[in-house]
Amino acid sequence: MSDCIFCNIVNREIPSYTVYEDEDVYAFLDITQTTKGHTLVIPKKHVADIFAYDEELSQKVFSRIPKIARALELAFPDMKGLNVINNNKELAYQTVFHSHFHLIPRYDESDGFKLTFTNHADDYSPNDMQEIADLIKRNVTL
């Protein structure tokens, strides 16, 4: 897709700092470097988000993430953790509409990255939780 920055990176029309590449997956340093080693993992095939993956593509992409994560851990012995983040659709903060996974090494609590969740547990009864689980179960397809 010619107007996709990540497709242009895969096609070498825009330079990048390659971390890993095979016939299906490309990983490169995120230009923002939220923390040292911040890496993006993308399918070479253009898909907008996780909802566009088929089983074959998901196996190809997801199986590479631990391999690249281990490389980060070996490259940066002072790394104490890793966030793997995937945003899907604009409301979920996706800004580049070519599916990608952020691998963000964590070094300490002041490394410039924060991720917080609001606890809404008191808003849902056990019955509500079961209804939500059942609704999702009914919609899982193989």
Side-chain angles (χ1 to χ4, degrees):
M1 180 174 276
S2 64
D3 62 340
C4 172
I5 190 169
F6 288 172
C7 286
N8 290 336
I9 288 171
V10 167
N11 293 328
R12 306 297 197 269
E13 296 162 10
I14 295 175
S16 67
Y17 298 96
T18 305
V19 168
Y20 173 85
E21 181 176 16
D22 62 30
E23 66 184 50
D24 302 300
V25 175
Y26 190 68
F28 57 99
L29 293 180
D30 187 305
I31 198 161
T32 68
Q33 286 299 282
T34 299
T35 64
K36 180 177 64 179
H38 179 176
T39 298
L40 298 178
V41 179
I42 67 171
K44 285 185 169 180
K45 174 184 176 184
H46 181 88
V47 292
D49 54 39
I50 196 78
F51 303 106
Y53 279 62
D54 59 23
E55 188 173 343
E56 182 181 356
L57 183 61
S58 65
Q59 288 173 352
K60 289 175 180 177
V61 175
F62 297 150
S63 69
R64 296 342 185 264
I65 290 173
K67 174 187 274 198
I68 298 163
R70 286 188 294 273
L72 286 165
E73 187 175 44
L74 290 170
F76 304 112
D78 56 337
M79 188 177 101
K80 294 180 176 65
L82 179 76
N83 287 96
V84 178
I85 299 172
N86 173 245
N87 304 323
N88 296 280
K89 302 198 183 289
E90 192 171 350
L91 183 63
Y93 305 109
Q94 185 178 6
T95 57
V96 176
F97 296 93
H98 181 126
S99 180
H100 57 287
F101 294 82
H102 295 261
L103 278 58
I104 303 174
R106 300 304 310 278
Y107 299 97
D108 60 51
E109 291 180 9
S110 63
D111 62 14
F113 182 77
K114 284 215 183 293
L115 183 65
T116 61
F117 296 94
T118 302
N119 184 342
H120 290 282
D122 292 339
D123 297 341
Y124 298 94
S125 70
N127 197 38
D128 294 332
M129 295 293 282
Q130 190 59 58
E131 286 179 14
I132 292 167
D134 289 344
L135 178 63
I136 295 167
K137 267 194 258 186
R138 283 194 302 272
N139 285 282
V140 172
T141 59
L142 298 178

